[in-house]
Amino acid sequence: MNQSVFIVDDDPAVRDAVGLWLDCHGYHTLCFEDAMQFIQQVTPTLSGCIIADIRMPGMDGLELQAKLNQMGCQLPLIFITGHGTVPMAVEAMRNGALDYLRKPVKEQQLLLKVKDAFAIDQAHSQRRLLALTHQTQLNSLTNRERQVANLVVDGLANKVIAFELGISQRTVEVHRASVMSKLRVRTLPQLVKSYLKVT
Amino acid sequence: MTQLTDTHNNESDGLQTLFKNLPGMAYRCLNLPHWPMSFVSEGCEALCGYSSQELEGQSILWGDFTHRHDVAEVDRQVSEAASFDQPFEVEYRIVPRTGPHKWVWERGRVVDRLKDGTAIIEGFITDITSLRHAERMVNEQREQLAHVERLNTLGEMTAAIAHELNQPLTAISMYSKSARLLAQQGQYEKLLEVMDKVAQQSHRAGAVIERMQAMSYQTSHQQDQVNPTQLLRDIKVLAEIEAQVRHFTIDLKVPQHLPLISCDPIQIQQVILNLLRNGMQAMQTNQCASGSAIELRATLKQQQIWITVTDQGTGIKEDMADTLFLAFASNKHTGKAAGMGLGLTIGKAIIEAHGGRLNYRNLAHDGGDGAEFFFNLAIASKAHT
């Protein structure tokens, strides 16, 4: 999965210079001159991070952040701003910005931040992938298997489960083995752990 | 012997009650130095702490406790009115037997003359101290408000300029760092392109600064033909509010018949007020005695009006001299007097925009110190005085 840096700044020179600097360090960059233009490109599969100005005509940086949060976009967001106020910084950080840098930005600092952002994004992607796998595995369970799995996770013994569901203990054991194999776990704790990750 | 006392005898009861209820004091006096009283109504004791017997017996004269800075001016106005048989109205300070000085309002007129021509004056004097205090408070608040407004404007301007400068600076800095990498990688064509961009952004930053300078110097330069005497009198009135708070006085020295000058009166007023304020602050720092005067003087020399503000303050220290007219250099570091350090810079810019020069010199004569700030203004070409 290719990670990109999405640069959103209304100032062409800043956009260009930041892009060049990151290009020189081997990052793939994409520039947008306003927030709306970027929003229209956002898909759940985007990977990388965003560098955005706060003060922009039309939709400003904080509005962009709110919109992205609303869309469930988890791309790490680094703000760079010419004259940010403290309340602005507080709002940005509270809403999950990775950092808030003041222009003129220190080049090395920006590089480090982008590196951090990519690591975070990577972790996000892996977790997303993992969740997706788990979900597929869970979806492969039959209704009866899911019922059995729920009760197993609740800590009930096979005998009790059999009684609860009105089936034989032997049948419970078969379902239980099938659940373990479909979810690719071997022990009860592993089952509980994998089960909790998704639900 | 006199009208008032005669009537007083005839209808004593009625008048007595009337005088008793007056919010002040009625009087009759001779227009001689310090105004000897021949009659004062009962209110005098409440007003000045001296009894009517003391004043009528002339063991103390009204002028004895008229504020020493006001007595000459009151005398001038009263005598002028008396010589034309006009009624007069004056406001001045008195120092009562006990307590702080009071502001009084007096209205009177000549009712008769002695054989030698000395005017006999009758009138009424009342305490307006509380009114004056209220006025002063309003003025102070207005001043503070103006100060806050100036600061706000300055703050907003600074923020806008900072933003406009930060954009090209960010770009320049990023381009330069990238250029280094490009050079190391041997990408010379790209490098040249980037160098051009750096130059472009430097010009952009320069343009911001140029625009800013143009903004501060151009400020709607409205040239008017102004009477310098009137201008300085107006300024004195404005500055006196602050002078009173600091217990200093302003000594205005203007020769008669000065020609008109060509200037923006508001801007010049700002410059002079700023010089006076600086001077008074320096005098306070120097712990000048209460009542010390700061001098505001106008002189005509070589077809130029020279305006000079002389204080008795600490003078300009050598290490301040170099940066005196630079923005944000201030020697008022602490407390209420902490300054923006913009006053003299703006003042210099205004005077130079008027074609004059603002300068200063230290006065270190006879152990007395202080500094003198002075500038010149051209007299109006169509001088019609």
Side-chain angles (χ1 to χ4, degrees):
Chain A
M1 200 176 307
N2 280 328
Q3 289 183 306
S4 307
V5 182
F6 304 96
I7 302 166
V8 188
D9 196 314
D10 62 306
D11 192 294
V14 173
R15 215 160 56 218
D16 186 50
V18 172
L20 175 66
W21 172 244
L22 293 173
D23 277 343
C24 286
H25 287 86
Y27 288 100
H28 179 245
T29 58
L30 283 165
C31 293
F32 301 88
E33 61 182 48
D34 66 61
M36 260 336 272
Q37 206 188 56
F38 174 61
I39 288 279
Q40 281 160 6
Q41 306 286 318
V42 174
T43 63
T45 54
L46 282 191
S47 176
C49 73
I50 306 166
I51 295 177
D53 192 5
I54 289 220
R55 219 164 256 230
M56 291 185 287
M59 182 187 278
D60 71 22
L62 294 177
E63 286 165 348
L64 169 67
Q65 185 184 32
K67 181 79 186 163
L68 290 172
N69 284 345
Q70 189 198 327
M71 291 164 74
C73 172
Q74 287 187 310
L75 288 177
L77 179 52
I78 301 164
F79 278 120
I80 53 173
T81 179
H83 60 310
T85 61
V86 173
M88 266 186 193
V90 170
E91 192 187 336
M93 297 308 284
R94 189 175 285 160
N95 291 328
L98 178 64
D99 211 336
Y100 184 94
L101 307 175
R102 290 177 64 92
K103 287 180 191 170
V105 181
K106 294 200 178 69
E107 293 75 16
Q108 286 305 328
Q109 197 185 3
L110 187 66
L111 275 185
L112 288 178
K113 280 299 153 193
V114 170
K115 202 175 148 210
D116 286 353
F118 272 26
I120 291 168
D121 177 63
Q122 193 100 51
H124 279 169
S125 302
Q126 273 166 7
R127 209 174 307 148
R128 268 203 305 274
L129 199 68
L130 219 60
L132 207 66
T133 325
H134 277 299
Q135 197 61 53
T136 340
Q137 286 168 354
L138 271 188
N139 287 348
S140 70
L141 299 183
T142 64
N143 278 343
R144 191 52 109 189
E145 280 166 354
R146 197 167 295 124
Q147 278 176 330
V148 172
N150 278 331
L151 295 173
V152 170
V153 170
D154 279 348
L156 301 187
N158 286 352
K159 214 191 304 179
V160 186
I161 296 173
F163 177 77
E164 286 271 319
L165 298 178
I167 52 179
S168 77
Q169 197 172 328
R170 175 72 198 138
T171 316
V172 171
E173 276 160 19
V174 170
H175 283 312
R176 186 166 171 161
S178 168
V179 167
M180 302 289 264
S181 118
K182 278 183 175 173
L183 297 186
R184 288 164 218 254
V185 292
R186 284 194 179 150
T187 62
L188 179 61
Q190 278 177 344
L191 171 68
V192 175
K193 228 168 112 186
S194 121
Y195 209 75
L196 285 180
K197 254 182 208 156
V198 181
T199 49
Chain B
M1 167 187 141
T2 66
Q3 281 176 317
L4 251 174
T5 36
D6 286 348
T7 346
H8 175 216
N9 286 338
N10 295 344
E11 306 168 17
S12 64
D13 279 0
L15 267 183
Q16 206 62 268
T17 321
L18 178 66
F19 283 146
K20 208 178 277 180
N21 290 327
L22 276 180
M25 113 188 185
Y27 69 88
R28 153 178 266 254
C29 72
L30 291 175
N31 188 27
L32 289 175
H34 286 207
W35 307 289
M37 298 282 176
S38 56
F39 165 78
V40 292
S41 74
E42 224 171 280
C44 74
E45 198 150 353
L47 188 64
C48 63
Y50 299 100
S51 69
S52 52
Q53 286 84 356
E54 281 172 293
L55 280 164
E56 283 170 1
Q58 296 176 5
S59 61
I60 182 147
L61 301 182
W62 187 260
D64 294 345
F65 52 85
T66 299
H67 199 286
R68 65 194 172 94
H69 288 124
D70 296 343
V71 68
E73 179 64 15
V74 176
D75 186 45
R76 193 186 65 76
Q77 290 193 30
V78 171
S79 298
E80 195 177 294
S83 63
F84 295 109
D85 266 341
Q86 291 290 316
F88 62 86
E89 242 176 64
V90 280
E91 286 180 17
Y92 58 94
R93 288 164 290 181
I94 59 167
V95 183
R97 176 171 263 166
T98 55
H101 74 239
K102 285 181 178 176
W103 278 95
V104 297
W105 172 85
E106 173 176 352
R107 189 190 172 107
R109 69 171 302 160
V110 176
V111 291
D112 205 352
R113 284 184 189 275
L114 297 181
K115 284 195 185 98
D116 65 359
T118 307
I120 300 169
I121 296 170
E122 281 180 9
F124 176 71
I125 302 174
T126 188
D127 184 353
I128 56 160
T129 310
S130 50
L131 193 70
R132 274 278 173 156
H133 280 321
E135 265 174 27
R136 185 193 291 178
M137 247 162 68
V138 169
N139 279 328
E140 273 173 24
Q141 276 164 358
R142 195 176 298 148
E143 276 232 329
Q144 278 170 1
L145 208 67
H147 185 63
V148 169
E149 262 168 33
R150 276 200 300 277
L151 281 185
N152 270 344
T153 323
L154 196 73
E156 279 163 22
M157 244 173 63
T158 315
I161 292 165
H163 184 68
E164 282 207 51
L165 279 179
N166 269 334
Q167 303 283 30
L169 287 180
T170 304
I172 289 171
S173 170
M174 292 262 173
Y175 280 140
S176 316
K177 289 272 182 176
S178 307
R180 221 186 123 84
L181 285 175
L182 292 174
Q184 282 167 354
Q185 294 163 6
Q187 300 190 50
Y188 295 114
E189 209 156 308
K190 187 99 194 247
L191 174 64
L192 291 177
E193 205 180 295
V194 170
M195 294 316 291
D196 284 343
K197 287 178 178 173
V198 169
Q200 265 174 25
Q201 292 305 310
S202 310
H203 288 306
R204 177 181 169 195
V208 172
I209 291 171
E210 215 165 273
R211 215 166 47 240
M212 187 177 90
Q213 278 173 332
M215 212 161 64
S216 62
Y217 290 115
Q218 260 173 19
T219 50
S220 69
H221 205 163
Q222 231 189 340
Q223 293 278 350
D224 276 332
Q225 305 233 322
V226 180
N227 176 352
T229 312
Q230 194 53 49
L231 182 74
L232 294 182
R233 278 203 189 129
D234 290 348
I235 291 167
K236 187 186 172 197
V237 171
L238 280 172
E240 237 155 22
I241 299 161
E242 188 164 343
Q244 274 168 20
V245 176
R246 297 175 189 273
H247 305 290
F248 294 135
T249 58
I250 295 168
D251 199 350
L252 178 62
K253 287 184 180 159
V254 188
Q256 285 188 325
H257 310 303
L258 282 177
L260 293 181
I261 49 176
S262 175
C263 71
D264 178 335
I266 304 287
Q267 288 192 350
I268 297 301
Q269 211 173 51
Q270 277 180 350
V271 174
I272 300 175
L273 274 174
N274 184 257
L275 292 179
L276 285 170
R277 187 169 299 145
N278 285 347
M280 287 192 281
Q281 277 164 359
M283 282 165 70
Q284 204 151 37
T285 311
N286 206 18
Q287 302 187 324
C288 286
S290 173
S292 301
I294 183 165
E295 188 184 281
L296 175 59
R297 188 171 74 235
T299 41
L300 177 62
K301 205 165 62 190
Q302 294 161 344
Q303 296 300 297
Q304 303 263 329
I305 300 280
W306 289 83
I307 294 179
T308 311
V309 173
T310 312
D311 66 44
Q312 304 177 30
T314 42
I316 308 299
K317 290 189 191 67
E318 239 170 75
D319 56 338
M320 270 308 287
D322 293 339
T323 55
L324 198 59
F325 292 103
L326 292 182
F328 306 115
S330 174
N331 57 349
K332 302 166 216 157
H333 289 304
T334 47
K336 229 177 143 187
M340 286 294 303
L342 270 176
L344 278 175
T345 318
I346 292 175
K348 189 167 147 57
I350 291 176
I351 297 305
E352 279 170 6
H354 280 80
R357 301 271 300 156
L358 172 62
N359 225 322
Y360 78 97
R361 67 163 169 263
N362 273 323
L363 306 172
H365 53 79
D366 313 332
D369 28 36
E372 200 167 76
F373 280 83
F374 49 92
F375 62 87
N376 55 325
L377 290 170
I379 63 176
S381 42
K382 294 174 284 174
H384 37 75
T385 28

